[in-house]
Amino acid sequence: MVLLIWMLRRNQQVQQLVVAARSAPMELQTALQTASAQLQLRQPPELRLSTSDHSPAVWGLLRPVIVLPAALAHSLDASALRDVLLHELIHIRRRDLWLNLPQALAQVIWWWNPLVWLANARIRFLREQAVDQEVMLIPREDSAPTYPETLVAVARYCSARSLLALNLVGILESRRDLRSRIERLLVSPLPRRAGLGVAGWATLMVVAMVGLPMASARRVEPAPPIEQRPTPAAELQWRPWSPEAVRDARARGQ
Protein backbone atom coordinates (compact mmCIF):
# COMPACT_ATOMS: atom_id res chain seq x y z
CA MET A 1 0.00 0.00 0.00
CA VAL A 2 2.86 2.38 0.78
CA LEU A 3 4.48 1.77 -2.60
CA LEU A 4 1.14 2.13 -4.42
CA ILE A 5 0.37 5.41 -2.66
CA TRP A 6 3.87 6.66 -3.47
CA MET A 7 3.41 5.82 -7.18
CA LEU A 8 -0.03 7.44 -7.29
CA ARG A 9 1.47 10.54 -5.69
CA ARG A 10 4.20 10.60 -8.33
CA ASN A 11 1.56 10.18 -11.01
CA GLN A 12 -0.32 13.16 -9.62
CA GLN A 13 2.85 15.26 -9.66
CA VAL A 14 3.47 14.39 -13.31
CA GLN A 15 -0.14 15.22 -14.17
CA GLN A 16 0.21 18.62 -12.51
CA LEU A 17 3.40 19.22 -14.50
CA VAL A 18 1.64 18.36 -17.78
CA VAL A 19 -1.36 20.55 -16.98
CA ALA A 20 0.88 23.49 -16.09
CA ALA A 21 2.89 23.11 -19.31
CA ARG A 22 1.95 25.35 -22.24
CA SER A 23 1.33 24.37 -25.82
CA ALA A 24 4.38 24.33 -28.09
CA PRO A 25 4.79 27.11 -30.68
CA MET A 26 4.03 26.57 -34.34
CA GLU A 27 7.61 25.75 -35.41
CA LEU A 28 7.79 22.91 -32.87
CA GLN A 29 4.36 21.68 -33.90
CA THR A 30 5.56 21.57 -37.50
CA ALA A 31 8.62 19.54 -36.46
CA LEU A 32 6.33 17.14 -34.60
CA GLN A 33 4.09 16.69 -37.65
CA THR A 34 7.12 16.01 -39.84
CA ALA A 35 8.44 13.39 -37.42
CA SER A 36 4.98 11.79 -37.16
CA ALA A 37 4.78 11.58 -40.95
CA GLN A 38 8.15 9.79 -41.03
CA LEU A 39 6.78 7.15 -38.67
CA GLN A 40 3.44 7.03 -40.52
CA LEU A 41 1.43 8.00 -37.47
CA ARG A 42 -2.10 9.06 -38.33
CA GLN A 43 -2.63 11.49 -35.46
CA PRO A 44 0.31 13.37 -33.91
CA PRO A 45 0.11 13.66 -30.12
CA GLU A 46 -0.07 16.92 -28.26
CA LEU A 47 3.25 18.69 -27.63
CA ARG A 48 3.72 20.79 -24.48
CA LEU A 49 6.62 22.75 -23.00
CA SER A 50 7.31 22.89 -19.26
CA THR A 51 9.51 25.13 -17.18
CA SER A 52 11.19 22.23 -15.33
CA ASP A 53 14.48 20.54 -16.26
CA HIS A 54 13.07 17.00 -16.41
CA SER A 55 13.80 14.49 -19.14
CA PRO A 56 11.68 14.61 -22.32
CA ALA A 57 8.86 12.14 -21.79
CA VAL A 58 5.48 10.85 -22.95
CA TRP A 59 2.53 10.96 -20.55
CA GLY A 60 -1.00 9.61 -20.83
CA LEU A 61 -2.57 6.37 -22.01
CA LEU A 62 -5.62 7.34 -24.06
CA ARG A 63 -4.40 10.76 -25.19
CA PRO A 64 -0.59 10.76 -25.01
CA VAL A 65 1.20 14.05 -24.55
CA ILE A 66 4.87 14.73 -25.24
CA VAL A 67 6.35 17.04 -22.60
CA LEU A 68 9.64 18.82 -23.29
CA PRO A 69 11.53 21.29 -21.12
CA ALA A 70 11.14 24.67 -22.82
CA ALA A 71 14.81 25.63 -22.45
CA LEU A 72 15.94 22.31 -23.94
CA ALA A 73 13.51 22.54 -26.86
CA HIS A 74 14.76 26.01 -27.78
CA SER A 75 18.45 25.11 -27.34
CA LEU A 76 18.47 22.02 -29.60
CA ASP A 77 19.03 22.37 -33.32
CA ALA A 78 16.51 21.01 -35.81
CA SER A 79 18.22 17.62 -36.16
CA ALA A 80 18.55 16.99 -32.42
CA LEU A 81 14.96 18.10 -31.82
CA ARG A 82 13.87 15.68 -34.54
CA ASP A 83 15.71 12.84 -32.76
CA VAL A 84 14.03 13.63 -29.44
CA LEU A 85 10.58 13.79 -31.03
CA LEU A 86 11.18 10.56 -32.95
CA HIS A 87 12.23 8.82 -29.74
CA GLU A 88 9.04 9.79 -27.95
CA LEU A 89 6.84 9.05 -30.97
CA ILE A 90 8.31 5.55 -31.24
CA HIS A 91 7.37 4.98 -27.60
CA ILE A 92 3.79 5.84 -28.55
CA ARG A 93 3.82 3.62 -31.64
CA ARG A 94 5.21 0.70 -29.61
CA ARG A 95 2.51 1.26 -26.94
CA ASP A 96 5.19 1.33 -24.26
CA LEU A 97 2.93 3.36 -21.97
CA TRP A 98 0.40 0.53 -21.89
CA LEU A 99 3.15 -2.01 -21.22
CA ASN A 100 4.68 0.15 -18.50
CA LEU A 101 1.42 0.16 -16.49
CA PRO A 102 1.25 -3.61 -15.70
CA GLN A 103 5.00 -3.55 -15.21
CA ALA A 104 4.66 -0.92 -12.49
CA LEU A 105 1.67 -2.69 -10.93
CA ALA A 106 3.63 -5.96 -10.81
CA GLN A 107 6.34 -4.14 -8.89
CA VAL A 108 3.70 -2.92 -6.42
CA ILE A 109 2.21 -6.40 -5.92
CA TRP A 110 5.52 -8.26 -5.61
CA TRP A 111 7.36 -5.44 -3.82
CA TRP A 112 9.15 -7.95 -1.59
CA ASN A 113 10.77 -9.83 -4.47
CA PRO A 114 14.13 -8.33 -5.54
CA LEU A 115 13.98 -10.24 -8.84
CA VAL A 116 10.92 -8.19 -9.86
CA TRP A 117 12.82 -4.94 -9.24
CA LEU A 118 15.82 -6.21 -11.20
CA ALA A 119 13.60 -7.43 -14.04
CA ASN A 120 11.77 -4.09 -14.27
CA ALA A 121 15.05 -2.20 -14.39
CA ARG A 122 16.27 -4.52 -17.14
CA ILE A 123 13.02 -4.12 -19.09
CA ARG A 124 13.29 -0.31 -18.95
CA PHE A 125 16.89 -0.47 -20.16
CA LEU A 126 16.08 -2.81 -23.06
CA ARG A 127 13.04 -0.72 -23.96
CA GLU A 128 15.16 2.41 -24.32
CA GLN A 129 17.78 0.43 -26.22
CA ALA A 130 15.18 -0.83 -28.70
CA VAL A 131 13.86 2.70 -29.29
CA ASP A 132 17.42 3.99 -29.75
CA GLN A 133 17.98 1.40 -32.46
CA GLU A 134 14.78 2.38 -34.26
CA VAL A 135 15.82 6.04 -34.27
CA MET A 136 19.25 5.11 -35.64
CA LEU A 137 17.64 3.14 -38.48
CA ILE A 138 15.72 6.19 -39.74
CA PRO A 139 17.60 7.94 -42.62
CA ARG A 140 19.15 11.31 -41.77
CA GLU A 141 21.18 14.01 -43.48
CA ASP A 142 24.95 13.45 -43.67
CA SER A 143 25.75 16.81 -42.08
CA ALA A 144 23.34 16.37 -39.18
CA PRO A 145 24.65 15.53 -35.69
CA THR A 146 24.44 11.88 -34.76
CA TYR A 147 21.79 10.49 -32.44
CA PRO A 148 24.33 9.62 -29.70
CA GLU A 149 25.34 13.28 -29.66
CA THR A 150 21.69 14.16 -29.10
CA LEU A 151 21.52 11.81 -26.10
CA VAL A 152 24.61 13.46 -24.62
CA ALA A 153 23.11 16.93 -25.15
CA VAL A 154 19.88 15.90 -23.41
CA ALA A 155 21.81 14.32 -20.52
CA ARG A 156 23.88 17.47 -20.01
CA TYR A 157 20.77 19.58 -19.72
CA CYS A 158 18.43 17.34 -17.72
CA SER A 159 19.81 17.39 -14.20
CA ALA A 160 16.63 16.09 -12.55
CA ARG A 161 15.74 12.40 -12.49
CA SER A 162 12.78 11.16 -14.48
CA LEU A 163 9.72 10.68 -12.28
CA LEU A 164 8.70 7.04 -11.92
CA ALA A 165 4.97 7.01 -12.58
CA LEU A 166 2.32 4.58 -13.79
CA ASN A 167 1.84 6.19 -17.21
CA LEU A 168 5.09 8.00 -17.98
CA VAL A 169 7.98 6.96 -20.23
CA GLY A 170 11.01 9.19 -20.77
CA ILE A 171 14.07 9.28 -22.97
CA LEU A 172 16.43 9.42 -19.99
CA GLU A 173 14.94 7.20 -17.29
CA SER A 174 18.36 6.18 -15.96
CA ARG A 175 21.51 8.28 -16.30
CA ARG A 176 23.54 5.28 -15.16
CA ASP A 177 22.46 3.26 -18.23
CA LEU A 178 23.08 6.12 -20.65
CA ARG A 179 26.73 5.25 -21.16
CA SER A 180 25.89 1.64 -22.07
CA ARG A 181 23.24 2.83 -24.51
CA ILE A 182 25.65 5.21 -26.26
CA GLU A 183 28.47 2.66 -26.38
CA ARG A 184 26.14 0.10 -27.95
CA LEU A 185 25.05 2.59 -30.61
CA LEU A 186 28.66 3.49 -31.45
CA VAL A 187 30.28 0.06 -31.26
CA SER A 188 27.71 -2.66 -31.91
CA PRO A 189 26.38 -3.13 -35.45
CA LEU A 190 22.79 -2.09 -35.91
CA PRO A 191 20.27 -4.77 -36.92
CA ARG A 192 18.24 -4.37 -40.08
CA ARG A 193 15.15 -3.92 -37.98
CA ALA A 194 14.56 -3.30 -34.29
CA GLY A 195 13.18 -6.72 -33.37
CA LEU A 196 13.88 -9.54 -31.00
CA GLY A 197 16.05 -11.49 -33.44
CA VAL A 198 17.06 -15.15 -33.48
CA ALA A 199 19.22 -14.86 -30.36
CA GLY A 200 16.43 -13.10 -28.49
CA TRP A 201 13.85 -15.74 -29.38
CA ALA A 202 16.29 -18.51 -28.45
CA THR A 203 16.89 -16.87 -25.07
CA LEU A 204 13.15 -16.47 -24.57
CA MET A 205 12.54 -20.14 -25.28
CA VAL A 206 15.27 -21.25 -22.88
CA VAL A 207 13.90 -19.02 -20.13
CA ALA A 208 10.38 -20.35 -20.77
CA MET A 209 11.54 -23.98 -20.55
CA VAL A 210 13.51 -23.32 -17.37
CA GLY A 211 10.94 -21.05 -15.75
CA LEU A 212 7.93 -23.27 -16.47
CA PRO A 213 9.18 -26.79 -15.68
CA MET A 214 5.79 -27.98 -14.49
CA ALA A 215 4.20 -27.29 -17.87
CA SER A 216 5.69 -30.46 -19.36
CA ALA A 217 5.86 -32.61 -16.22
CA ARG A 218 4.05 -35.96 -16.34
CA ARG A 219 1.71 -36.93 -13.55
CA VAL A 220 2.90 -40.08 -11.75
CA GLU A 221 0.11 -42.25 -10.37
CA PRO A 222 0.77 -44.40 -7.29
CA ALA A 223 1.10 -48.15 -7.85
CA PRO A 224 -2.15 -50.07 -7.24
CA PRO A 225 -2.38 -52.60 -4.39
CA ILE A 226 -1.21 -56.12 -5.10
CA GLU A 227 -4.74 -57.53 -5.27
CA GLN A 228 -5.69 -54.98 -7.94
CA ARG A 229 -2.66 -55.50 -10.18
CA PRO A 230 -3.22 -57.15 -13.59
CA THR A 231 -3.00 -60.92 -13.75
CA PRO A 232 -0.03 -62.27 -15.73
CA ALA A 233 -0.90 -63.44 -19.24
CA ALA A 234 -0.07 -67.09 -18.36
CA GLU A 235 -2.78 -67.19 -15.68
CA LEU A 236 -5.55 -65.69 -17.80
CA GLN A 237 -8.61 -67.82 -18.58
CA TRP A 238 -9.92 -66.95 -22.03
CA ARG A 239 -13.63 -67.03 -22.81
CA PRO A 240 -15.63 -66.11 -25.91
CA TRP A 241 -16.62 -62.46 -25.99
CA SER A 242 -20.25 -61.43 -25.49
CA PRO A 243 -22.03 -58.43 -23.96
CA GLU A 244 -23.32 -60.63 -21.17
CA ALA A 245 -19.77 -61.79 -20.29
CA VAL A 246 -18.62 -58.16 -20.14
CA ARG A 247 -21.48 -57.24 -17.78
CA ASP A 248 -20.72 -60.19 -15.52
CA ALA A 249 -17.01 -59.31 -15.40
CA ARG A 250 -17.74 -55.70 -14.53
CA ALA A 251 -20.17 -56.81 -11.83
CA ARG A 252 -17.34 -58.84 -10.26
CA GLY A 253 -14.97 -55.86 -10.47
CA GLN A 254 -12.81 -57.40 -13.20
Side-chain angles (χ1 to χ4, degrees):
M1 290 301 299
V2 171
L3 183 58
L4 179 61
I5 293 174
W6 178 79
M7 279 196 174
L8 292 176
R9 176 58 180 165
R10 282 295 185 92
N11 210 62
Q12 184 180 9
Q13 293 175 355
V14 175
Q15 184 177 5
Q16 293 174 354
L17 184 146
V18 174
V19 172
R22 57 184 176 86
S23 298
M26 183 58 62
E27 60 269 17
L28 296 182
Q29 298 288 352
T30 302
L32 177 64
Q33 293 177 0
T34 302
S36 299
Q38 282 187 285
L39 298 177
Q40 299 180 353
L41 294 179
R42 296 181 180 178
Q43 183 65 31
E46 186 179 0
L47 179 60
R48 288 177 171 267
L49 301 181
S50 69
T51 56
S52 303
D53 59 348
H54 59 86
S55 168
V58 180
W59 181 87
L61 296 175
L62 299 178
R63 299 181 60 183
V65 179
I66 297 179
V67 186
L68 301 179
L72 175 65
H74 294 305
S75 63
L76 296 176
D77 57 19
S79 178
L81 179 63
R82 164 189 170 274
D83 290 340
V84 172
L85 293 176
L86 285 175
H87 185 103
E88 305 306 332
L89 289 173
I90 291 174
H91 275 306
I92 297 176
R93 188 180 66 177
R94 288 166 43 93
R95 295 178 176 85
D96 285 336
L97 288 167
W98 287 95
L99 298 176
N100 183 68
L101 179 61
Q103 179 184 342
L105 293 178
Q107 191 164 338
V108 170
I109 296 174
W110 288 284
W111 59 269
W112 46 268
N113 193 336
L115 294 180
V116 175
W117 291 77
L118 294 175
N120 275 348
R122 186 62 178 172
I123 289 173
R124 286 191 291 268
F125 173 73
L126 294 177
R127 179 177 61 202
E128 294 303 316
Q129 200 173 74
V131 175
D132 291 341
Q133 290 181 354
E134 288 202 44
V135 176
M136 290 283 288
L137 292 175
I138 298 176
R140 59 192 304 115
E141 299 177 0
D142 295 337
S143 59
T146 62
Y147 177 67
E149 292 177 347
T150 301
L151 292 179
V152 173
V154 173
R156 286 176 176 173
Y157 176 83
C158 300
S159 59
R161 292 186 59 187
S162 177
L163 293 176
L164 178 62
L166 296 178
N167 54 353
L168 178 76
V169 175
I171 190 175
L172 194 62
E173 293 193 0
S174 174
R175 299 176 65 91
R176 182 180 56 185
D177 295 334
L178 179 62
R179 180 174 179 176
S180 298
R181 290 168 57 188
I182 294 177
E183 287 180 350
R184 180 177 178 84
L185 294 176
L186 295 177
V187 177
S188 301
L190 287 176
R192 295 181 180 179
R193 60 184 181 88
L196 196 58
V198 177
W201 281 109
T203 303
L204 183 62
M205 295 300 295
V206 171
V207 172
M209 288 186 293
V210 174
L212 301 175
M214 298 303 296
S216 59
R218 296 182 59 184
R219 183 178 178 183
V220 179
E221 298 289 348
I226 296 178
E227 59 271 10
Q228 296 181 6
R229 292 182 181 179
T231 305
E235 301 179 6
L236 292 178
Q237 296 179 359
W238 295 92
R239 290 186 297 169
W241 183 91
S242 67
E244 293 78 10
V246 174
R247 286 196 299 267
D248 294 343
R250 287 181 175 175
R252 292 192 299 269
Q254 298 177 350

